[in-house]
């Protein structure tokens, strides 16, 4: 878990660097700060389960089976990328990971559809549908709640509440910021999304709930993103640097896990350092590949 | 990719070209018009195919009073400022408009006119337009912003089924003519599939609304003010690539440019070029190149209002030149060029041909979807 979170963190920071060097262009929505969500969720479900999210998807691409190489090559738009260089930051996919979706909220009904397929095929798989606090007010999400509940679809709705929908704080966007309650008749849980073990346990519980045929369930993960909404957003015009600093020092997901592991003697400082070094190496290699791999050929344009 | 339809009177060669990479480097695969060969640039890792057109500011209009240097987003702000000043019922709303908008089109308006006249909505396009229809029907001049034209589809039902049909189905008892929807539109170079779309063709299939696309700041302000004043719900698409790139002397007072009137920007005798928004500037360069390299005299028309469009100006021009080329950023199939070409064909058939008709030649090109990589071409 530690390695995975650290990998995501390093990968996102590398992406930030490459973007500023103009090697990555277009849109880039970074996930650093929210690692506990992706990793916690993945450890609570199986790889054979399904997951769909919005555009802040690099972390999920990794947890769902993508490699750092493929992800970075996709960001730089090369043929070695996970979507052959045609998708870019927002459109990454793996088996059982349906992206990577640009239009806010549009992925949620899709996720319910996948859940329906799971139920129909009777394969005991579930679908995790993620969306953010900004998307939580989209009409189609409420439509999906109703459908999922009516047909008892094995669907875990997860709202990653990072407190800001682009530049709008949750208080200014929503009458009720209790996103876990918005499912109305769908049971909802709210938890600290910075605590990876908490997320894992809750996901396990939710997955069990769905698999036992009880229908959908809603989870709200209270989390935080360090970067702005996207690379064109400095992230400090709607929140203070102090706020970001405070979260970094008090609730950073990786630090929290590290402290726990060290204080419970589950790992030594050296072991964790070793992981850090390995991760950095992996990211460097991936970045190297991403920068040198050729772009997709012109024929791919209309394929 | 820019889609271009080429028509020759009497020998209708219908060819849709998606290989157009931009003004100077475009290549039409016909022997008739051979512009410089396509710049099939060697795809080196660090090389970018840059969008290529230069914005040439138009001379300052003299009939509307004092002017000030403004770019496109500033000219939009100016139009909105004039509106809020002169019309106490006017309100502006949309995602993030309060702080000034993601493209700065509404900067300063909230401070000047108050938070009950310039306010943010949550992230809900269907709700924004539906709300706007209601506000307009109740008598407010409602100016809704959809943050990117790519996001307008959740509001499609509201626009097509509610806004467009309100007056008709209520027997003129109600209408939402005071509704104007503004939205950034078109390719910008790095927008990829969800920040670059040109959805005007979807809406042209809907009677009851008006669709307008300006080519620059002076045009934008005048056309936007006309849309706001118009007694029908209007959609105003603003070419986002021109927000900063297009700078002109724009009148500070309010003025209107009539809707449903195309403008002939350049007269010519051999070929009629039709475009709207950003492509007007691309075709300006094409026309210059055609003149210089081939001695071809092009007549360039900016359609301005897409629905209802000025059929007379375009058809008259084609009758004169005998050839028509329409270029738009939206995909080929079902793009508005299809409608224009079909109307021109029908119109033309009432005229006597000087040359014997020749068999149709059709050169089809492949549809291409938006790719983040090839966005550099814009």
């Amino acid at each position: 878990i530690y390695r995975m979170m650290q990998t995501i963190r390093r990968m996102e920071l590398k992406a930030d660097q490459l973007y500023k060097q103009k090697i990555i262009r277009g849109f880039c929505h970074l996930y650093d700060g929210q690692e506990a969500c992706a990793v916690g969720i993945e450890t609570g479900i199986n790889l054979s389960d399904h997951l769909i999210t919005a555009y802040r998807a690099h972390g999920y691409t990794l947890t769902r089976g993508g490699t750092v190489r493929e992800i970075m090559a996709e960001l730089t738009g090369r043929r070695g990328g996970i979507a052959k260089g045609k998708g870019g930051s927002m459109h990454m996919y793996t088996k059982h990971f349906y992206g990577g979706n640009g239009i806010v909220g549009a992925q949620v009904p899709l996720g319910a559809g996948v859940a329906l397929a799971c139920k129909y095929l009777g394969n005991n798989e579930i679908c995790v549908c993620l969306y953010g606090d900004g998307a939580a007010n989209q009409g189609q999400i409420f439509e999906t709640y109703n459908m999922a509940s009516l047909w008892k679809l094995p669907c875990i709705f997860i709202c990653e509440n990072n407190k800001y929908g682009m530049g709008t704080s949750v208080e200014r966007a929503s009458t009720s910021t209790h996103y876990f309650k918005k499912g109305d008749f769908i049971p909802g849980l709210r938890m600290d999304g910075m605590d990876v073990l908490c997320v894992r346990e809750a996901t396990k519980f939710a997955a069990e709930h769905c698999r036992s045929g009880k229908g959908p369930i809603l989870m709200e993960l209270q989390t935080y993103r360090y970067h702005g909404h996207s690379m064109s957003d400095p992230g400090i015009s709607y929140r203070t640097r102090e706020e970001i600093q405070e979260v970094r020092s008090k609730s950073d997901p990786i630090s929290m896990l590290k402290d726990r592991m060290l204080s419970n003697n589950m790992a030594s400082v050296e072991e964790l350092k070793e992981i850090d070094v390995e991760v950095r190496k992996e990211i460097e290699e991936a970045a190297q590949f991403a920068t040198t791999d050729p772009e997709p050929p012109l024929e791919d344009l209309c394929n | 990719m820019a889609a271009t339809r080429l028509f020759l009177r009497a020998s209708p060669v219908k060819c849709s070209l998606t290989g157009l990479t931009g003004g100077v480097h475009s290549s039409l695969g016909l022997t008739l018009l051979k512009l410089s060969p396509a710049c099939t640039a060697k795809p080196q890792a660090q090389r970018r195919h840059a969008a290529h057109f230069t914005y040439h500011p138009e001379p300052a209009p003299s009939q509307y009073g004092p002017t000030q240097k403004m770019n496109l987003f500033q000219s939009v702000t100016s139009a909105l400022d004039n509106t809020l000043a002169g019309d106490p019922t006017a309100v502006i709303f949309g995602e993030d408009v309060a702080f000034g908008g993601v493209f700065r089109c509404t900067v300063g308006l909230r401070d000047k006119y108050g938070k009950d006249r310039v306010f943010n909505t949550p992230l809900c396009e269907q709700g924004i337009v539906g709300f706007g229809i209601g506000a307009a029907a109740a008598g407010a001049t409602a100016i809704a912003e959809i943050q990117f034209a790519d996001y307008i589809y959740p509001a499609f039902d509201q626009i097509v089924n509610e806004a467009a049909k309100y007056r008709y189905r209520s027997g003129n008892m109600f209408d939402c003519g005071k509704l104007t929807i503004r939205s950034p539109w078109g390719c910008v170079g790095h927008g990829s599939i969800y920040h670059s779309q040109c959805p005007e063709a979807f809406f042209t299939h809907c009677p009851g609304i008006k669709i307008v696309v300006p080519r620059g700041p002076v045009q934008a302000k005048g056309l936007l003010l006309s849309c706001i004043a118009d007694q029908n719900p209007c959609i105003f698409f603003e070419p986002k690539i021109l927000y900063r790139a297009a700078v002109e002397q724009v009148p500070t007072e309010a003025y209107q440019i009539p809707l449903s009137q195309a403008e002939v920007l350049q007269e010519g005798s051999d070929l009629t070029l039709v475009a709207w928004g950003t492509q007007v500037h691309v075709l300006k360069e094409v026309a210059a190149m055609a003149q210089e390299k081939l001695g071809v005299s092009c007549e360039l028309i900016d359609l301005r209002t897409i629905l209802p469009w000025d059929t007379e100006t375009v058809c008259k021009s084609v009758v004169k030149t005998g050839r028509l080329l329409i270029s738009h950023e939206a995909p080929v199939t079902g793009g508005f060029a299809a409608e224009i070409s079909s109307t021109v064909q029908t119109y033309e058939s009432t005229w006597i041909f000087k040359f014997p008709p020749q068999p149709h030649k059709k050169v089809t090109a492949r549809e291409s979807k938006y790719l983040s990589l090839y966005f550099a071409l814009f």
Side-chain angles (χ1 to χ4, degrees):
Chain A
I1 291 183
Y2 179 84
R3 179 189 290 272
M4 187 62 95
M5 291 210 291
Q6 191 68 280
T7 310
I8 297 177
R9 174 68 59 93
R10 290 277 126 222
M11 183 175 72
E12 296 298 81
L13 292 178
K14 192 71 192 172
D16 172 84
Q17 208 181 42
L18 291 176
Y19 193 93
K20 288 179 175 149
Q21 292 175 330
K22 302 208 180 200
I23 297 171
I24 296 177
R25 310 193 68 103
F27 291 96
C28 196
H29 307 86
L30 297 178
Y31 198 66
D32 53 314
Q34 298 183 216
E35 297 87 356
C37 298
V39 179
I41 291 168
E42 189 58 40
T43 46
I45 58 176
N46 306 321
L47 202 60
S48 57
D49 288 318
H50 308 265
L51 192 143
I52 189 168
T53 183
Y55 45 77
R56 204 174 296 283
H58 306 163
Y60 289 99
T61 318
L62 195 67
T63 55
R64 292 255 93 205
T67 63
V68 183
R69 256 178 142 223
E70 288 173 322
I71 294 172
M72 302 219 79
E74 186 59 38
L75 289 175
T76 53
R78 307 305 163 95
R79 63 179 78 182
I82 204 161
K84 302 195 176 63
K86 304 210 289 191
S89 164
M90 285 199 275
H91 309 291
M92 298 195 190
Y93 306 83
T94 70
K95 190 155 193 257
H96 295 213
F97 172 53
Y98 303 83
N101 294 281
I103 299 295
V104 171
Q107 73 277 8
V108 179
L110 253 80
V114 173
L116 176 71
C118 294
K119 180 165 180 169
Y120 189 80
L121 295 171
N123 52 25
N124 205 34
E125 289 163 10
I126 57 166
C127 184
V128 179
C129 300
L130 290 127
Y131 54 95
D133 46 284
N137 289 313
Q138 275 276 319
Q140 49 194 325
I141 295 191
F142 294 94
E143 290 180 14
T144 314
Y145 288 157
N146 188 45
M147 287 195 287
S149 180
L150 207 57
W151 301 325
K152 289 208 165 20
L153 301 181
C155 197
I156 306 179
F157 294 107
I158 302 186
C159 177
E160 277 181 293
N161 179 3
N162 60 18
K163 307 198 179 28
Y164 297 96
M166 210 159 77
T168 306
S169 67
V170 291
E171 296 79 30
R172 290 194 298 127
S174 260
T175 311
S176 160
T177 55
H178 291 182
Y179 293 98
F180 65 105
K181 287 190 198 161
K182 282 187 193 273
D184 192 16
F185 29 72
I186 298 179
L189 309 93
R190 171 190 253 183
M191 68 207 70
D192 179 6
M194 303 301 257
D195 182 347
V196 67
L197 298 177
C198 176
V199 177
R200 182 182 72 176
E201 294 310 306
T203 310
K204 278 188 185 160
F205 173 82
E208 179 49 43
H209 180 273
C210 287
R211 278 189 238 276
S212 61
K214 297 201 183 101
I217 191 168
L218 212 157
M219 281 165 53
E220 179 190 338
L221 270 49
Q222 292 191 305
T223 182
Y224 200 83
R225 55 167 161 80
Y226 294 143
H227 270 88
H229 162 76
S230 67
M231 289 307 297
S232 55
D233 171 23
I236 44 172
S237 50
Y238 46 87
R239 53 186 188 174
T240 59
R241 280 191 211 272
E242 288 76 40
E243 182 188 292
I244 307 174
Q245 248 331 97
E246 189 170 345
V247 176
R248 254 193 222 276
S249 53
K250 296 215 180 99
S251 339
D252 181 86
I254 298 178
S255 306
M256 272 175 33
L257 181 69
K258 189 172 177 179
D259 291 341
R260 237 190 217 147
M261 284 169 80
L262 291 174
S263 60
N264 282 304
N265 288 324
M266 294 171 80
S268 67
V269 178
E270 292 78 32
E271 282 174 320
L272 294 180
K273 249 208 179 77
E274 208 182 299
I275 295 180
D276 288 349
V277 167
E278 281 170 19
V279 166
R280 268 181 218 267
K281 190 153 160 278
E282 188 185 355
I283 306 294
E284 272 311 316
E285 279 172 7
Q288 195 39 35
F289 172 71
T291 325
T292 52
D293 197 36
E295 290 174 353
L298 203 59
E299 298 82 62
D300 274 7
L301 186 66
C302 299
N303 254 340
Chain B
M1 299 295 254
T4 312
R5 278 218 156 93
L6 176 67
F7 286 89
L8 305 173
R9 186 175 74 174
S11 55
V13 176
K14 210 188 276 185
C15 86
S16 307
L17 301 145
T18 52
L20 228 51
T21 60
V24 184
H25 303 290
S26 48
S27 143
L28 308 176
L30 299 171
T31 50
L32 184 69
L33 271 181
K34 225 187 251 172
L35 303 177
S36 54
C39 180
T40 46
K42 315 84 205 169
Q44 287 156 30
Q46 302 303 321
R47 180 134 177 216
R48 264 197 88 205
H49 310 238
H52 194 98
F53 69 91
T54 318
Y55 186 83
H56 298 285
E58 288 169 26
S62 49
Q63 69 269 48
Y64 302 123
T67 64
Q68 191 185 313
K69 189 161 155 190
M70 293 186 214
N71 60 28
L72 187 67
F73 73 73
Q74 288 165 335
S75 73
V76 170
T77 317
S78 176
L80 297 174
D81 194 352
N82 292 144
T83 304
L84 289 169
D87 179 351
T89 72
V91 285
I92 299 174
F93 50 91
E95 291 159 24
D96 300 306
V97 299
F99 87 96
V102 288
F103 290 107
R104 309 180 71 166
C105 295
T106 48
V107 168
L109 297 178
R110 185 178 168 96
D111 291 337
K112 199 166 170 186
Y113 296 101
K115 59 182 169 61
D116 53 336
R117 295 186 72 189
V118 181
F119 53 91
N120 282 339
T121 59
L123 220 167
C124 45
E125 287 73 22
Q126 185 174 22
I128 291 169
V129 173
F131 172 86
I133 293 169
T141 298
I143 304 166
E145 178 181 297
I146 298 292
Q147 198 162 82
F148 283 88
D150 314 54
Y151 306 160
I152 204 167
Y153 307 112
F156 194 78
D157 174 66
Q158 285 288 336
I159 295 170
V160 168
N161 275 332
E162 305 302 322
K165 299 172 168 60
Y166 215 147
R167 190 192 292 276
Y168 181 84
R169 60 186 158 95
S170 69
N172 205 17
M173 202 186 325
F174 289 104
D175 69 87
C176 56
K178 284 168 166 264
L179 173 67
T180 305
I181 300 168
R182 291 180 36 245
S183 192
W185 167 103
C187 297
V188 71
H190 54 272
S192 199
I193 40 182
Y194 296 129
H195 294 77
S196 314
Q197 289 180 39
C198 300
E200 70 273 7
F202 292 111
F203 295 98
T204 55
H205 194 53
C206 175
I209 52 172
K210 293 197 177 182
I211 306 166
V212 178
V213 184
R215 66 172 184 273
V218 170
Q219 291 290 310
K221 180 168 167 173
L223 290 168
L224 178 56
L225 286 168
S226 294
C227 285
I228 293 171
D230 194 278
Q231 297 298 299
N232 296 288
C234 297
I235 307 179
F236 188 75
F237 288 123
E238 301 162 2
K240 62 177 84 68
I241 199 174
L242 298 178
Y243 272 141
R244 284 178 199 268
V247 185
E248 274 173 352
Q249 291 288 121
V250 182
T252 50
E253 304 290 317
Y255 63 98
Q256 290 186 21
I257 292 178
L259 300 182
S260 295
Q261 277 187 26
E263 189 177 350
V264 179
L265 297 180
Q266 184 184 303
E267 291 199 10
S269 54
D270 299 324
L271 166 66
T272 300
L273 303 173
V274 174
W276 49 93
T278 319
Q279 282 294 302
V280 171
H281 306 291
V282 173
L283 287 191
K284 244 188 218 170
E285 294 192 0
V286 168
M289 280 188 68
Q291 179 69 68
E292 188 198 315
K293 308 234 159 133
L294 307 165
V296 170
S297 154
C298 299
E299 179 147 300
L300 177 60
I301 300 181
D302 176 6
L303 204 59
R304 302 200 295 192
T305 301
I306 317 303
L307 182 77
W309 64 286
D310 185 352
T311 50
E312 202 163 310
T313 303
V314 175
C315 292
K316 275 212 171 87
S317 173
V318 180
V319 165
K320 180 171 82 167
T321 63
R323 298 169 191 84
L324 173 64
L325 187 147
I326 312 153
S327 183
H328 59 62
E329 288 174 18
V332 172
T333 306
F336 200 59
E339 180 65 28
I340 297 176
S341 57
S342 146
T343 306
V344 167
Q345 299 265 41
T346 327
Y347 188 99
E348 274 209 83
S349 65
T350 64
W351 293 84
I352 300 165
F353 283 91
K354 274 195 196 165
F355 308 97
Q358 294 183 15
H360 272 74
K361 270 192 264 176
K362 192 166 182 169
V363 175
T364 52
R366 294 176 292 182
E367 297 279 337
S368 79
K369 300 167 190 63
Y370 294 94
L371 288 181
S372 50
L373 180 68
Y374 288 94
F375 259 78
L377 297 176
F378 287 97

